[in-house]
C-alpha cells in the first residue's frame, strides 16, 4: 500500500501536527478526511466532530479509512481508543509520550495495527532531513509500509519500544 492507494482520516487535522500529515498524505495521493471539532478546511473534506463521542458521520469516515492518524492530545487519543471501529485500518498516533497508549492498547485487547510516531521537529519545518521516532505498539505490514511512506518524505525513522521512546524524549526535553 502506498499513500496513493488509500484513504486516510486525520483526527485533529486542523492543528499543526495534523495539518502536516494531511498535506503530506494528500501530496502522496491519498484521499484525506479531516475530523476536527474546530471548524472547516478550505482545501479538503472536513467533518466537524469529537472523536471521543463520535457521530455516525465521524465513524463512517474512520471505518472506511486505511490509515487513521490521531493528531490529538493524549487524553483525547486515550478516550477515543474504545470507540474506534477500525475495520483493519492502521491507527497512528502522534503523542509525545507513548507508554500510556501502549498500555491502553494492550489492556483493551485491540486487534489491528497500531503505530506511534513522534516527529522530533516543529511541523512547520517539515520532515525532510529530520528525525521521526516510531513505536510499533502492534506492528505488521501496514506499519512497515507506512514507515516507508514517512521515509519517502525524507525523514529519518528510528524504531523503538514505548519505554525507550519515553526515556529518550524525557532526556531530550530536559
Amino acid at each position: 500500500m502506498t499513500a496513493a492507494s488509500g484513504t486516510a482520516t486525520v483526527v485533529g487535522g486542523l492543528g499543526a501536527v495534523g495539518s502536516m500529515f494531511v498535506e503530506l498524505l494528500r501530496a502522496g495521493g491519498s484521499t484525506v478526511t479531516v475530523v476536527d471539532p474546530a471548524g472547516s478546511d478550505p482545501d479538503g473534506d472536513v467533518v466537524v466532530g469529537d472523536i471521543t463521542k463520535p457521530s455516525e458521520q465521524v465513524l463512517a469516515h474512520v471505518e472506511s479509512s486505511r490509515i487513521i492518524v490521531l493528531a490529538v492530545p493524549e487524553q483525547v487519543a486515550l478516550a477515543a481508543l474504545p470507540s474506534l471501529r477500525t475495520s483493519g485500518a492502521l491507527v497512528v498516533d502522534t503523542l509525545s509520550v507513548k507508554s500510556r497508549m501502549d498500555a491502553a492498547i494492550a489492556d483493551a485487547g485491540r486487534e489491528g495495527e497500531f503505530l506511534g510516531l513522534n516527529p522530533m521537529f516543529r511541523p512547520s519545518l517539515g520532515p525532510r532531513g529530520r528525525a521521526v521516532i516510531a513505536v510499533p505498539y502492534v506492528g505488521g505490514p501496514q506499519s512497515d509500509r507506512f514507515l516507508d511512506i514517512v521515509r519517502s518524505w525524507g525523514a529519518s525513522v528510528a524504531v523503538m519500544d514505548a519505554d525507550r521512546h519515553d526515556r529518550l524524549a524525557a532526556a531530550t526535553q530536559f
Side-chain angles (χ1 to χ4, degrees):
M1 173 181 73
T2 66
S5 69
T7 58
T9 295
V10 179
V11 180
L14 297 180
V17 174
S19 62
M20 177 186 72
F21 276 92
V22 169
E23 179 181 320
L24 291 166
L25 288 166
R26 284 182 179 157
S30 283
T31 301
V32 180
T33 298
V34 172
V35 173
D36 202 298
S40 63
D41 170 17
D43 296 326
D45 294 325
V46 174
V47 176
V48 177
D50 179 352
I51 194 65
T52 65
K53 298 176 197 126
S55 66
E56 287 304 315
Q57 184 183 24
V58 168
L59 286 175
H61 283 286
V62 168
E63 290 173 356
S64 67
S65 294
R66 299 300 306 144
I67 301 166
I68 301 160
V69 178
L70 299 174
V72 295
E74 182 181 49
Q75 67 272 18
V76 174
L78 291 171
L81 192 58
S83 66
L84 286 179
R85 300 185 306 225
T86 59
S87 301
L90 169 64
V91 178
V92 178
D93 77 56
T94 62
L95 303 176
S96 298
V97 176
K98 302 296 187 190
S99 57
R100 287 183 288 268
M101 180 61 96
D102 188 32
I105 292 166
D107 291 346
R110 295 300 309 261
E111 293 183 19
E113 292 184 41
F114 292 82
L115 176 66
L117 291 182
N118 189 353
M120 303 300 287
F121 54 90
R122 277 193 325 264
S124 61
L125 297 173
R128 183 152 309 280
R130 296 189 175 33
V132 174
I133 298 177
V135 176
Y137 306 116
V138 181
Q142 293 178 95
S143 297
D144 294 342
R145 286 188 291 267
F146 194 76
L147 291 178
D148 287 341
I149 292 168
V150 173
R151 289 181 186 100
S152 79
W153 298 337
S156 171
V157 176
V159 179
M160 59 189 68
D161 67 26
D163 290 334
R164 182 168 180 226
H165 167 273
D166 289 354
R167 287 192 310 274
L168 179 63
T172 60
Q173 292 173 0
F174 179 70

